[in-house]
Amino acid sequence: MKAHFLALLLSLTFLSLQASPPPFLSSTNEDTQNLINFKTTLSNPSLLQNWLPNQNPCTFTGVKCHETTNRVTSIGLANISLSCDFHSVATFLLTLENLENLSLKSANISGSISFPPGSKCSSVLSHLDLSQSSLSGSVSDIATLRSCPALKSLDLSGNSIEFSVHEEKSSGLRGLSFEFLDLSFNKIVGSNAVPFILSEGCNELKHLALKRNKLSGDIDFSSCKNLQYLDVSANNFSSSVPSFGKCLALEHLDISANKFYGDLGHAIGACVKLNFLNVSSNNFSGSIPVLPTASLQSLSLGGNLFEGEIPLHLVDACPGLVMLDLSSNKLNGSVPSSLGSCTSLETLDISANNFTGELPVDTFLKMTSLKRLDLAYNAFTGGLPDSFSQHASLESLDLSSNNLSGSIPTGLCQGPSNNLKELYLQNNRFTGSVPATLSNCSQLTALHLSFNYLSGTIPSSLGSLYWLRDLNLWFNQLHGEIPPELMNIDALETLILDFNELTGVIPSGISNCTNLNWISLSNNRLSGEIPASIGKLGSLAILKLSNNSFYGRIPPELGDCRSLIWLDLNSNFLNGTIPPELFKQSGSIAVNFIRGKRYVYLKNEKSEQCHGEGNLLEFAGIRWEQLSRISSSHPCNFSRVYGEYTQPTFNDNGSMIFLDLSYNMLSGSIPAAIGSMSYLYVLILGHNNFSGNIPQEIGKLTGLDILDLSNNRLEGIIPQSMTGLSLLSEIDMSNNHLTGMIPEGGQFVTFLNHSFVNNSGLCGIPLPPCGSASGSSSNIEHQKSHRRLASLAGSVAMGLLFSLFCIFGLLIVVVEMKKRKKKKDSALDVYMDSCSHSGTANTSWKLTGREALSISIATFESKPLRNLTFPDLLEATNGFHNDSLIGSGGFGDVYKAELKDGSIQHAKLRMSDVFDPVLLKEDPNLEMELLQHLKVACACLDDRPWRRPTMIQVMATFKEIQAGSGLDSQSTTGTEDGGFSAVEMVEMSIKEGPELSKQ
């Protein structure tokens, strides 16, 4: 009986278990279905492979569940390219009843933030991360998230969210009370965006990040009493420093990269818990104020207008201070010895100031935790003492661009525990040899000794620096051979040895340095053949071997360099043909590993002694005025200077952008494969022995801006396909055997006759018309005789008229001189204003007092340059009207100008003829503006003809301006009625004379 009862009980239990499904099949069935529905909306079905129907969702990738209920509480799918619309997220994920945390960072979510009708957000959702995706729409869309009543943390950074004017009248973000809100790296613009975001108040807000938008206007955070983290850096604020109220909770404050000004000390004086303060790159001025330093660990005051000495009250921050940045200000004097008490300091940057005296090594040695010391761009003098080697923790030492002299100490790394990794001594006055004992700095990754007066040979012992990435020794007086031992440095990425007196050959073992991306050996006395093994350097992007004595053929193996974008072999003794293999990587080049390297490109002023199109130079840590040293010791002056940081963007689709093979002994025909370099910008093949026809394929070089095929033996016609080179601004085909008509149309209408001279068979504009008889010289002489007689009669008449004019002119000259300046200053604005309302004017550029232009005037009939003023050009081109535009090139637009005398001229408008804007470390607030507005460094808007100085004169003027700590009133002009500012109207103090450049 008991046995039957037990059997019955077991049967009932079994049936009961069958009737009650497992918890994950009942309580989570809805969650599973939502997740599966979300997966079906993805464009790539192979994603989230273990998200399967009728499975426990707690096992799905990125899903976490409650321990007891098995309901989905957290989803993390960061860095998975879901590529779906926010509508799918809102419909299937945000509606999960127990969801508390959803992270879709870098998941490529698109669309705007909105909820479909009938959807209800999880009532417990508190954290939502949609950062670094493709969301669009407006800030007001965030208000739809008020249906998520528990939402406290929202990260929308790195999207494309905007702010429109109509949003200003909406109810803002009412109903939302965030503790964490990040809208950084979006497209939020305007002065009312911040008030809109804070419209509900900010009592609960603890973290607010609005970095790198385009916000402006006045902002006030005094009501945000619980704010702990605030970042409004990299916006367009140009007002007085915001009010932060009592800010008793504020720990992290970043307002850098704006134009804030005012009393910084008063604004943040109550923020006693601050441990991070970054106000760099603003317009704060005066002495460094007293700051709340009790808790400070990181203090950045760089890039402002602070002046005077380093105040002693900064020492109060020393007990806990880890990072101190005072760079790019106007500070002077010496480094106070009391800073030695900052024993926790790891980074000290006082670069780009006016500190003087000898290096206070004893003070730095007391900073026992110091890892990075940057003293660059100051005026420190004296020598570099051996005692620096006693600093065991120091990893980076930057003393570039000072006035240090003497020899580099041999005991710099003599301590057994030295940890020096970066040594920057460039642009000083060091003499003597490069110490062989630098090999004791066994951890070195960067050694920069360029722009000094070092002599002797390159020590072979440097080959033992196995971690070395950058070896930059250019512009010294080094001689001897390149040590083969350097080829043992596997980590080497840049080898920059230009402008020395090196001899011998390139070591054959250079292919061992497989990480090399920049080899620059130009302007030496190297010889031998170019090693074919260079072709094994898959990362090589820049190869400069110009102005040496290399001979032999161009190795076809160079075409194996998968990253080569810059090849300069000009002025050697290379022979043979151009190997077609050189271009086989075109269309597949990828370069993404030399970003951030500072360079300068000097465009050469052509002469018999100056060869090559220009010089690309590594320029980190070197003052701009030092460029004159290059010009004084090198046969090339330079007509333009471009400076920036390298930013190659090719991703398996690029080609070479610069190729200069000029001034060699190359022969044969130009290979048709050259047309495959679709990104080629500069092609210089002049002064060789090339023969045959110009290949039609050159017309495929759609990015070409400068082409030089001069001084060869090319024959045949100029291909009609070249009229499609719409960016071509400079061409030289002179001194060949070309025949036929010069192509009409395209950029050819903008070129002058010197580009085609000494080709006996060429004809057509700008040369004489095709079919004109050479025997008509007598008729030409007859016409000249008539012109001389007419000129004589005209001269007599003009003499009489001139006398009368002088008498009359004396009566009115005083009155006219008073009126003259005001008319000139107003004429430009009035004329441009009238044109801007015509509706048909060329609006691709706008001329204001904040922009400099260069105007180049010439005719196609080899007439001399006309002495025209800018108002003359405005009138002659109808305000540079579209109807007057006849061509566009990489360096400018060409307009037809009909002058008052009825003649036709052509005006080339160049928007960056001398300088690209470059942020200079020495004084960004002055020199950035100078370089922006002195792109042409030419005469101002007066009656003088347009002209430009030589680069040495430009640099000399910059130096005078810097020496005066501002602009000399005698070298500035301006108006009192809102005309050009002093900086915009700087006149270079250039005298008329034979040295004046006409570039």
Side-chain angles (χ1 to χ4, degrees):
M1 185 70 177
K2 291 181 179 179
H4 287 291
F5 178 77
L6 182 61
L8 179 61
L9 183 62
L10 290 172
S11 299
L12 291 173
T13 302
F14 177 74
L15 292 173
S16 175
L17 290 172
Q18 282 189 318
S20 302
F24 74 85
L25 292 178
S26 58
S27 61
T28 62
N29 185 58
E30 183 179 349
D31 291 353
T32 302
Q33 192 58 49
N34 271 11
L35 296 176
I36 296 303
N37 289 341
F38 173 73
K39 179 182 177 181
T40 60
T41 66
L42 304 182
S43 57
N44 185 357
S46 65
L47 295 174
L48 309 178
Q49 293 185 3
N50 68 342
W51 285 31
L52 300 173
N54 301 321
Q55 299 294 320
N56 185 350
C58 305
T59 63
F60 289 5
T61 297
V63 175
K64 293 182 180 180
C65 298
H66 193 276
E67 293 181 357
T68 57
T69 64
N70 282 336
R71 299 299 301 271
V72 175
T73 59
S74 176
I75 300 176
L77 300 176
N79 301 309
I80 299 176
S81 185
L82 301 176
S83 301
C84 67
D85 191 88
F86 181 80
H87 184 275
S88 301
V89 175
T91 303
F92 301 115
L93 298 185
L94 293 182
T95 54
L96 293 168
E97 290 183 1
N98 290 70
L99 188 66
E100 299 174 3
N101 191 339
L102 176 60
S103 176
L104 299 178
K105 179 180 180 180
S106 300
N108 195 23
I109 309 299
S110 57
S112 60
I113 299 174
S114 61
F115 272 87
S119 296
K120 183 179 180 182
C121 182
S122 167
S123 61
V124 293
L125 181 68
S126 60
H127 293 80
L128 178 58
D129 187 348
L130 300 170
S131 61
Q132 299 179 32
S133 275
S134 304
L135 291 170
S136 55
S138 62
V139 174
S140 60
D141 294 337
I142 299 174
T144 63
L145 294 175
R146 64 169 61 100
S147 62
C148 305
L151 189 60
K152 295 296 180 183
S153 175
L154 177 62
D155 192 344
L156 294 175
S157 60
N159 283 283
S160 299
I161 296 172
E162 300 176 347
F163 180 79
S164 57
V165 176
H166 77 273
E167 293 180 274
E168 301 173 10
K169 300 179 180 180
S170 67
S171 59
L173 301 184
R174 299 189 186 281
L176 292 167
S177 55
F178 294 114
E179 294 180 0
F180 180 106
L181 180 60
D182 193 340
L183 296 174
S184 303
F185 298 96
N186 276 284
K187 298 180 179 180
I188 306 172
V189 181
S191 60
N192 293 312
V194 175
F196 179 91
I197 293 168
L198 301 179
S199 57
E200 183 63 11
C202 53
N203 284 333
E204 297 185 28
L205 198 59
K206 296 179 180 179
H207 182 115
L208 178 61
L210 302 173
K211 179 177 184 177
R212 201 168 290 280
N213 283 282
K214 294 183 179 180
L215 300 168
S216 58
D218 296 325
I219 50 178
D220 188 344
F221 299 101
S222 58
S223 61
C224 304
K225 297 178 181 179
N226 294 307
L227 202 59
Q228 299 173 3
Y229 182 106
L230 177 61
D231 187 346
V232 294
S233 61
N235 278 286
N236 291 339
F237 295 112
S238 57
S239 59
S240 179
V241 60
S243 173
F244 302 104
K246 293 184 178 181
C247 59
L248 296 177
L250 194 60
E251 299 176 359
H252 182 111
L253 176 60
D254 191 344
I255 60 173
S256 62
N258 284 288
K259 294 181 180 179
F260 287 120
Y261 57 87
D263 191 342
L264 177 64
H266 176 75
I268 65 173
C271 308
V272 293
K273 288 188 178 180
L274 273 180
N275 59 52
F276 179 97
L277 176 60
N278 186 358
V279 301
S280 58
S281 299
N282 278 288
N283 290 331
F284 295 112
S285 59
S287 300
I288 295 176
V290 177
L291 302 170
T293 57
S295 302
L296 270 181
Q297 296 180 10
S298 178
L299 176 59
S300 299
L301 304 178
N304 281 284
L305 303 171
F306 291 120
E307 56 190 8
E309 299 185 352
I310 298 177
L312 294 179
H313 58 73
L314 270 186
V315 179
D316 295 339
C318 277
L321 199 61
V322 176
M323 196 280 288
L324 177 60
D325 181 3
L326 305 177
S327 64
S328 301
N329 279 287
K330 297 181 178 180
L331 301 173
N332 54 36
S334 58
V335 178
S337 59
S338 54
L339 273 184
S341 62
C342 297
T343 54
S344 299
L345 199 63
E346 295 181 2
T347 298
L348 175 61
D349 188 350
I350 59 172
S351 62
N353 281 288
N354 297 311
F355 292 111
T356 56
E358 296 189 355
L359 295 173
V361 180
D362 292 339
T363 299
F364 299 138
L365 289 176
K366 293 177 183 178
M367 302 176 185
T368 53
S369 301
L370 197 61
K371 294 181 179 179
R372 178 175 175 265
L373 178 60
D374 192 343
L375 309 179
Y377 295 99
N378 279 289
F380 288 112
T381 55
L384 177 60
D386 274 331
S387 52
F388 258 119
S389 62
Q390 300 172 22
H391 214 306
S393 63
L394 194 63
E395 296 180 0
S396 177
L397 177 61
D398 192 345
L399 302 175
S400 59
S401 288
N402 278 282
N403 293 319
L404 301 174
S405 58
S407 59
I408 299 174
T410 57
L412 195 56
C413 292
Q414 63 185 2
S417 59
N418 77 83
N419 200 32
L420 195 62
K421 296 179 180 178
E422 298 173 345
L423 181 60
Y424 302 101
L425 302 180
Q426 65 268 36
N427 196 188
N428 278 283
R429 300 178 180 276
F430 289 116
T431 55
S433 60
V434 178
T437 53
L438 283 178
S439 60
N440 294 332
C441 306
S442 57
Q443 304 298 314
L444 268 186
T445 61
L447 178 59
H448 290 238
L449 306 179
S450 304
F451 250 83
N452 280 288
Y453 298 89
L454 299 172
S455 56
T457 61
I458 301 174
S460 60
S461 59
L462 297 184
S464 64
L465 298 174
Y466 299 120
W467 303 105
L468 194 65
R469 292 196 302 265
D470 300 326
L471 179 58
N472 295 354
L473 307 176
W474 71 280
F475 209 84
N476 279 288
Q477 299 163 11
L478 301 172
H479 59 82
E481 299 185 354
I482 300 173
E485 289 81 1
L486 296 182
M487 306 303 113
N488 298 326
I489 308 176
D490 294 338
L492 197 62
E493 295 179 2
T494 61
L495 180 62
I496 314 291
L497 306 177
D498 310 81
F499 291 95
N500 279 289
E501 300 171 11
L502 299 174
T503 55
V505 301
I506 299 176
S508 58
I510 195 168
S511 59
N512 298 333
C513 304
T514 54
N515 292 301
L516 273 171
N517 55 57
W518 191 331
I519 299 176
S520 197
L521 308 176
S522 65
N523 296 87
N524 280 287
R525 300 176 184 176
L526 298 169
S527 58
E529 296 188 352
I530 299 173
S533 59
I534 291 180
K536 298 179 181 179
L537 301 176
S539 298
L540 186 63
I542 300 170
L543 178 61
K544 287 179 65 262
L545 305 177
S546 57
N547 287 285
N548 280 287
S549 299
F550 293 113
Y551 55 82
R553 304 174 70 86
I554 298 175
E557 290 81 0
L558 291 183
D560 295 328
C561 296
R562 301 186 303 273
S563 304
L564 191 61
I565 59 174
W566 194 287
L567 180 59
D568 190 352
L569 306 180
N570 86 79
S571 303
N572 282 286
F573 299 102
L574 300 173
N575 55 29
T577 61
I578 300 177
E581 297 87 348
L582 195 62
F583 316 113
K584 69 180 182 180
Q585 299 294 336
S586 296
S588 61
I589 283 179
V591 183
N592 54 17
F593 41 78
I594 61 171
R595 295 178 65 88
K597 293 184 182 295
R598 190 184 181 205
Y599 73 91
V600 63
Y601 177 70
L602 310 179
K603 180 172 171 56
N604 287 337
E605 180 180 321
K606 301 294 179 61
S607 68
E608 292 184 4
Q609 294 77 29
C610 178
H611 298 167
E613 181 62 25
N615 225 323
L616 180 71
L617 300 170
E618 183 275 336
F619 210 64
I622 299 172
R623 296 182 187 269
W624 285 95
E625 57 264 31
Q626 293 295 323
L627 288 173
S628 60
R629 282 182 57 189
I630 298 178
S631 210
S632 62
S633 61
H634 183 57
C636 288
N637 195 5
F638 31 92
S639 58
R640 298 181 201 144
V641 178
Y642 302 93
E644 252 310 333
Y645 290 85
T646 52
Q647 297 181 10
T649 56
F650 293 145
N651 186 19
D652 297 316
N653 65 342
S655 72
M656 232 181 274
I657 62 174
F658 184 100
L659 177 61
D660 190 346
L661 305 178
S662 61
Y663 289 93
N664 279 287
M665 299 183 293
L666 300 171
S667 57
S669 60
I670 299 173
I674 206 168
S676 63
M677 297 187 293
S678 55
Y679 289 94
L680 192 66
Y681 188 75
V682 175
L683 176 60
I684 311 297
L685 303 178
H687 294 269
N688 279 286
N689 294 313
F690 293 118
S691 57
N693 295 332
I694 298 172
Q696 290 279 348
E697 287 76 7
I698 280 188
K700 297 179 180 180
L701 302 177
T702 54
L704 198 62
D705 185 85
I706 300 174
L707 174 63
D708 185 351
L709 303 178
S710 66
N711 293 278
N712 282 288
R713 294 187 290 114
L714 297 170
E715 55 192 27
I717 64 172
I718 298 174
Q720 185 67 27
S721 62
M722 292 180 63
T723 58
L725 302 180
S726 60
L727 299 180
L728 196 62
S729 69
E730 296 182 29
I731 192 171
D732 192 349
M733 295 184 166
S734 62
N735 298 294
N736 279 286
H737 305 305
L738 299 172
T739 57
M741 176 179 283
I742 296 173
E744 297 179 345
Q747 290 301 99
F748 280 88
V749 72
T750 69
F751 301 133
L752 307 183
N753 64 346
H754 65 73
S755 298
F756 307 100
V757 297
N758 294 328
N759 287 279
S760 57
L762 273 185
C763 58
I765 296 175
L767 299 180
C770 296
S772 60
S774 59
S776 62
S777 59
S778 60
N779 184 44
I780 294 175
E781 289 299 322
H782 181 67
Q783 293 177 8
K784 288 183 178 180
S785 176
H786 278 285
R787 289 173 183 167
R788 282 194 292 268
L789 290 174
S791 176
L792 179 60
S795 297
V796 174
M798 287 300 297
L800 294 174
L801 287 173
F802 180 74
S803 300
L804 294 173
F805 176 79
C806 289
I807 295 171
F808 179 74
L810 287 174
L811 300 177
I812 62 172
V813 65
V814 176
V815 176
E816 284 300 310
M817 287 182 68
K818 291 181 179 179
K819 294 181 179 180
R820 177 178 170 186
K821 190 174 187 298
K822 186 173 182 179
K823 287 183 178 181
K824 289 180 186 300
D825 291 334
S826 60
L828 181 61
D829 293 332
V830 171
Y831 196 98
M832 292 307 299
D833 185 68
S834 64
C835 290
S836 66
H837 291 85
S838 66
T840 59
N842 182 2
T843 58
S844 63
W845 60 277
K846 181 180 179 182
L847 182 63
T848 69
R850 309 293 297 172
E851 193 167 44
L853 300 176
S854 165
I855 307 299
S856 173
I857 308 300
T859 63
F860 292 137
E861 292 81 31
S862 302
K863 295 178 182 178
L865 298 181
R866 300 291 298 269
N867 292 344
L868 301 176
T869 63
F870 195 79
D872 293 334
L873 294 179
L874 285 172
E875 183 177 353
T877 60
N878 192 21
F880 293 101
H881 195 284
N882 271 337
D883 293 344
S884 301
L885 182 66
I886 58 175
S888 297
F891 283 108
D893 296 333
V894 179
Y895 293 84
K896 181 175 69 175
E898 185 172 354
L899 305 181
K900 294 178 180 179
D901 61 2
S903 64
I904 302 296
Q905 300 278 338
H906 292 85
K908 178 170 286 188
L909 179 67
R910 300 193 177 202
M911 300 300 291
S912 65
D913 220 2
V914 171
F915 284 108
D916 279 349
V918 180
L919 181 60
L920 294 186
K921 196 172 182 181
E922 295 93 320
D923 189 346
N925 296 293
L926 170 63
E927 290 180 310
M928 174 63 177
E929 196 168 4
L930 282 175
L931 291 175
Q932 176 69 24
H933 306 307
L934 291 182
K935 289 179 181 177
V936 290
C938 62
C940 300
L941 300 182
D942 55 21
D943 282 344
R944 287 176 291 171
W946 287 84
R947 56 190 175 83
R948 282 189 294 281
T950 64
M951 189 54 55
I952 293 178
Q953 291 168 321
V954 174
M955 292 305 165
T957 305
F958 280 165
K959 190 171 183 180
E960 291 175 6
I961 293 171
Q962 286 179 312
S965 299
L967 296 175
D968 187 343
S969 60
Q970 293 182 352
S971 58
T972 63
T973 61
T975 63
E976 298 177 358
D977 55 350
F980 287 65
S981 71
V983 173
E984 292 145 10
M985 294 291 288
V986 171
E987 291 186 15
M988 311 306 289
S989 53
I990 303 164
K991 306 298 181 183
E992 301 284 352
E995 79 282 359
L996 182 63
S997 170
K998 66 177 181 179
Q999 299 327 305

